[in-house]
Amino acid sequence: VNLLALTSWVGIARLFAVVLSCLTFSLVASTGHFGGPSGTWCMFTWCFCFVVTLLVLLLELLELYPMLPLSWDDFTSAFSMLAVLMVFTSSVVFPATFISSPCSSNKCARQAVATTTSCLCFLAYAVEVGLTRAKPGDISSFLSTVPGLLKVFEAYVACLIFSLLDEYNKESGLMWCVAVYSICFIFTLLIIIFTIGRCLAYFPCPLDKVLVGYNFLALLMYITATVLWPLYSFKGRGRPDSCGRNCWWDKHLGITFLTIFNLIAYLVDLVYSSRMVFI
């Protein structure tokens, strides 16, 4: 039994994440009000993070993780970064969707407490990412470096973009943007999977330089998407007065901002990757 899995700073952060995620989905479940796509996503996030973090703690406590056919440090780094993004999204979506003003009922109070514990859970995962992030010069675990963490961020933002897509096949410019999102997402996801599965060592080319080239091409593609998506989405079309919660205009605006976020992520990724390889 490896007690350091529970008593180290990383272990303590994981214990807090387990307790807070469990408390969050228990409070939301007690209200019985979490239906629809948004509520289902939030409940899935908290339950998924609770189960995987608990499993990570047990495997490290019993020292069983070396038996798994994967890079454990890369897996835990990628998961903690993914949990940060998922819990942060749920901490924003849940109160915006389910908490109404004024908040005076017992159910609303439990929803407010659940939102607070979700935010604290996000902080616990953020602390874990900060504690496990590779120090300068340490590249033993790629997904714990800044470029590796950015890969998880880029893939997650692409998933958010896909969730907001509705009508895009009427304009060739929008179809190109969707192709950009899809191509970059697929390649980024393959990099993450191959890194965790220890398959990158079999790559016949110098992988570090290939990643720099991919980041450069992805950056160029996202620059075109950043220009073309708002140009073709909002050209001559303002926000309709009768636009409701699922308004297409709001979704296209959200995709515009998410595209900009990924553009910045790929730019930072390229800078850090180039420094790691050439400097």
Side-chain angles (χ1 to χ4, degrees):
V1 176
N2 179 20
L3 293 179
L4 283 176
L6 301 179
T7 57
S8 65
W9 288 114
V10 175
I12 293 173
R14 289 171 178 165
L15 284 174
F16 271 106
V18 167
V19 173
L20 290 168
S21 58
C22 179
L23 185 59
T24 302
F25 72 71
S26 299
L27 284 168
V28 175
S30 69
T31 66
H33 185 56
F34 52 88
S38 299
T40 303
W41 162 253
C42 293
M43 284 295 286
F44 168 77
T45 295
W46 297 317
C47 294
F48 171 75
C49 293
F50 167 77
V51 170
V52 176
T53 307
L54 184 61
L55 183 62
V56 167
L57 283 173
L58 290 176
L59 290 174
E60 291 203 347
L61 179 65
L62 302 177
E63 295 189 329
L64 297 176
Y65 64 90
M67 302 172 60
L68 300 176
L70 50 82
S71 174
W72 183 252
D73 290 337
D74 285 309
F75 170 75
T76 53
S77 297
F79 167 72
S80 58
M81 184 62 182
L82 178 64
V84 166
L85 298 171
M86 293 177 67
V87 175
F88 174 77
T89 305
S90 299
S91 301
V92 174
V93 170
F94 180 77
T97 305
F98 293 98
I99 298 182
S100 57
S101 182
C103 184
S104 56
S105 64
N106 180 266
K107 182 180 74 173
C108 185
R110 280 178 285 173
Q111 290 173 332
V113 174
T115 302
T116 304
T117 56
S118 181
C119 293
L120 293 175
C121 185
F122 157 72
L123 292 177
Y125 281 117
V127 169
E128 181 184 349
V129 171
L131 292 172
T132 57
R133 187 175 70 86
K135 304 301 183 291
D138 180 16
I139 55 174
S140 57
S141 172
F142 172 69
L143 292 181
S144 64
T145 62
V146 172
L149 295 174
L150 285 172
K151 289 287 185 294
V152 180
F153 177 84
E154 292 155 4
Y156 183 77
V157 171
C159 290
L160 293 181
I161 291 175
F162 294 145
S163 69
L164 295 176
L165 288 174
D166 47 11
E167 296 183 4
Y168 57 86
N169 54 359
K170 296 180 181 179
E171 298 282 354
S172 58
L174 298 182
M175 295 176 66
W176 162 252
C177 294
V178 174
V180 169
Y181 305 142
S182 303
I183 293 171
C184 294
F185 169 75
I186 291 172
F187 277 97
T188 302
L189 185 62
L190 287 176
I191 292 171
I192 296 172
I193 294 174
F194 287 167
T195 302
I196 295 175
R198 297 175 178 172
C199 300
L200 293 179
Y202 302 103
F203 205 73
C205 302
L207 184 63
D208 49 358
K209 293 178 178 156
V210 171
L211 290 178
V212 172
Y214 162 70
N215 290 331
F216 180 70
L217 291 176
L219 178 64
L220 293 180
M221 295 172 69
Y222 259 91
I223 289 175
T224 63
T226 304
V227 174
L228 293 178
W229 182 267
L231 178 64
Y232 281 89
S233 294
F234 307 116
K235 182 174 59 177
R237 297 192 296 177
R239 190 179 190 276
D241 295 332
S242 59
C243 216
R245 175 171 290 180
N246 294 319
C247 178
W248 66 266
W249 198 94
D250 294 341
K251 290 182 178 179
H252 284 218
L253 182 63
I255 293 174
T256 301
F257 281 104
L258 291 173
T259 303
I260 296 173
F261 292 157
N262 246 2
L263 172 66
I264 297 173
Y266 277 108
L267 176 60
V268 177
D269 195 353
L270 176 62
V271 172
Y272 269 90
S273 299
S274 301
R275 288 181 59 187
M276 290 174 62
V277 173
F278 300 109
I279 300 179

